[in-house]
Amino acid sequence: MLAQLPTRGAVRRLLLLGVSAVFAAACGSKADNTGTNPPPPPPPPPGATIALSPATVAVTDTVGAGAPAPVTVAVTNGGTGALSGLAVGTITYGTGATGWVTATLSGTSTPATLNITMANTGMAAGTYTATVPVTSAGATNSPQNVAVSMTLMAGGLPAPTGNVVLAVGNTRCNSTNIGAIVSIVAANPNATFIPLGDMTFNPGGGDANAFNTCYAPQLGQFLSRTQAIVGSWEEDTLIADSICCFATGAQSYFGDARIGPNGKNYYSFDIGTWHVIMLNVISGGRRTYGNGSDELDTFLKNDLAAHPAKCIMAVWHDPMWYSSTTDTTGVMYPDEHPNQSGIWLKLQNAGADVVLNGGEHTYERIGPLRWDQPTAKPVADSVNGIMQFNSGLGGDGSTAGTFRQRESDYFSGGNGVLKLTLGDSTYAWQFINAPGSTVADSGVAKCH
């Protein structure tokens, strides 16, 4: 019996089913595919990269205790392939001393070890920062940086308690920033306030009218706890040259007890166990402080002999050493500040601890320094040296220190006031910033 042949309609249905199957095989069906494009191929493996462990190094040590132990950082390849050509880039430093970090690599290919050595000779208590870059032309992430910080403690000394001094120069009572200075002083009602010269405005800001109409409305509220020194703006240059530059306006406003005897403007007083000597040292004008002067050879000599205090601070306007846009590295400024060496030497021989200045429009901490007569240069001396602070960020702007003094431990612009806490045998310093200022310097040290 013959098999029954399919009808024409059945043949057509079979053909359509075959075409559908072929299309589904080529494009996928809704049952097992969404119809989207296939996923992209995986990315190629990364190239060589610098990996550091750890990437941050922080050590704490004590002033005068010798250098901290060296620190090592592992340098490996965080990617694929070979990594060679490793090198240490130029080390950069934050505000403060420079040159205290040395870094070397054990080899130029990974794995390698970065050896970091820190020195603290001649450095005062405080925190110092640096950045050590590791580079390689073959790494896709070169350079990679190691952040280094070293905190030096002053012999493990605790922060002292005692009398507080707030010191700032260049206040310029009509500046836009004077309100912030006023707020800082007002927030410390028990502190002795020491304006470090250049208190009103320039030019012609040293007369009585400037103090009565400009200084008094701002800082006059602190007069009962103010001890001032004369700055260059306080000099009265309208007087004949033969008797030039007496601070007549400041004298009439503050009186002898708060700025020294008329025509001299050098005096002294005690704060707790500290003896404080206020001197008249100004660049230019009437230089009263050189060798053979009454200020140096009579007043200062006799005052030091009569007050053999354990802790001594001397205060004047223009600093002997400072960082500047003029290259004065390692020497006292030869043109503007002659004969200050006699003052420094007398203070040094009497065991003075702190010199406080405010003439430069910066904040800077230098030392402790000893005046070396044969070379006429400052020498780092943590035993017999004197710590010098310049606090000149009183609102009249700040200047750059293109050339850093070789013993400068901290330098910054900004706006604010230096706070000193005077203990029985120690002292602490802390810079108090006005809003927007970022000076970060504090520490503790011992008196001689």
Side-chain angles (χ1 to χ4, degrees):
M1 183 176 176
L2 295 174
Q4 187 177 359
L5 296 173
T7 64
R8 182 179 298 176
V11 170
R12 181 179 297 173
R13 286 193 297 273
L14 289 172
L15 290 173
L16 289 174
L17 289 171
V19 171
S20 298
V22 172
F23 183 79
C27 300
S29 67
K30 288 185 177 181
D32 57 11
N33 197 296
T34 60
T36 59
N37 292 328
T49 60
I50 300 171
L52 304 173
S53 180
T56 301
V57 171
V59 300
T60 300
D61 203 3
T62 302
V63 172
V71 177
T72 59
V73 174
V75 184
T76 57
N77 184 357
T80 59
L83 179 56
S84 59
L86 292 173
V88 176
T90 301
I91 299 173
T92 58
Y93 296 88
T95 49
T98 61
W100 52 274
V101 175
T102 302
T104 59
L105 283 163
S106 63
T108 59
S109 301
T110 55
T113 300
L114 177 69
N115 300 290
I116 298 177
T117 302
M118 289 158 275
N120 60 19
T121 303
M123 295 170 69
T127 297
Y128 304 87
T129 60
T131 300
V132 179
V134 178
T135 67
S136 171
T140 60
N141 64 341
S142 178
Q144 289 295 292
N145 296 323
V146 179
V148 180
S149 68
M150 178 175 67
T151 299
L152 294 181
M153 305 297 292
L157 296 173
T161 58
N163 296 282
V164 173
V165 168
L166 298 178
V168 60
N170 306 311
T171 48
R172 193 159 68 88
C173 54
N174 63 340
S175 76
T176 57
N177 298 316
I178 187 61
I181 302 300
V182 172
S183 296
I184 292 171
V185 180
N188 293 268
N190 297 319
T192 299
F193 177 50
I194 300 182
L196 297 167
D198 291 2
M199 294 172 267
T200 54
F201 50 89
N202 192 38
D207 59 16
N209 181 66
F211 277 96
N212 291 327
T213 63
C214 182
Y215 182 92
Q218 297 287 355
L219 296 164
Q221 59 186 296
F222 313 121
L223 181 60
S224 64
R225 54 186 177 104
T226 296
Q227 300 292 156
I229 58 169
V230 171
S232 55
W233 293 3
E234 282 70 62
E235 293 181 333
D236 185 353
T237 56
L238 300 179
I239 302 176
D241 288 342
S242 60
I243 52 172
C244 171
C245 309
F246 288 92
T248 56
Q251 189 74 47
S252 64
Y253 181 78
F254 289 109
D256 289 7
R258 302 196 181 281
I259 205 163
N262 186 26
K264 294 184 177 181
N265 301 122
Y266 42 86
Y267 63 112
S268 68
F269 58 93
D270 292 330
I271 300 180
T273 58
W274 281 67
H275 186 60
V276 181
I277 307 170
M278 310 290 274
L279 297 174
N280 183 351
V281 180
I282 306 169
S283 60
R286 193 172 58 92
R287 296 191 175 110
T288 67
Y289 50 86
N291 294 326
S293 67
D294 175 77
E295 181 173 8
L296 175 64
D297 291 339
T298 301
F299 167 74
L300 183 58
K301 175 183 176 181
N302 293 340
D303 188 81
L304 288 169
H307 299 90
K310 182 173 181 59
C311 300
I312 299 173
M313 177 167 64
V315 185
W316 67 82
H317 183 64
D318 283 318
M320 182 168 175
W321 295 291
Y322 59 93
S323 299
S324 172
T325 54
T326 302
D327 189 359
T328 64
T329 306
V331 298
M332 71 174 183
Y333 200 66
D335 297 325
E336 300 236 354
H337 304 166
N339 298 328
Q340 284 197 33
S341 58
I343 291 177
W344 196 278
L345 188 59
K346 272 190 168 50
L347 292 169
Q348 173 182 303
N349 291 341
D353 304 283
V354 173
V355 164
L356 178 59
N357 310 123
E360 291 301 302
H361 293 233
T362 62
Y363 172 76
E364 186 164 23
R365 174 171 51 82
I366 303 179
L369 296 180
R370 173 174 50 83
W371 169 248
D372 185 61
Q373 287 182 293
T375 62
K377 291 183 179 182
V379 176
D381 188 339
S382 60
V383 177
N384 299 307
I386 304 173
M387 187 85 82
Q388 176 188 281
F389 295 90
N390 184 85
S391 176
L393 297 179
D396 192 33
S398 58
T399 56
T402 307
F403 297 96
R404 291 290 298 279
Q405 285 285 350
R406 64 178 183 177
E407 305 299 345
S408 177
D409 288 321
Y410 192 96
F411 179 91
S412 181
N415 185 211
V417 177
L418 174 63
K419 176 183 178 181
L420 295 172
T421 303
L422 307 180
D424 286 341
S425 59
T426 62
Y427 63 96
W429 68 91
Q430 176 189 3
F431 191 87
I432 304 177
N433 286 287
S437 180
T438 58
V439 180
D441 187 40
S442 62
V444 182
K446 293 184 294 185
C447 296
H448 292 121

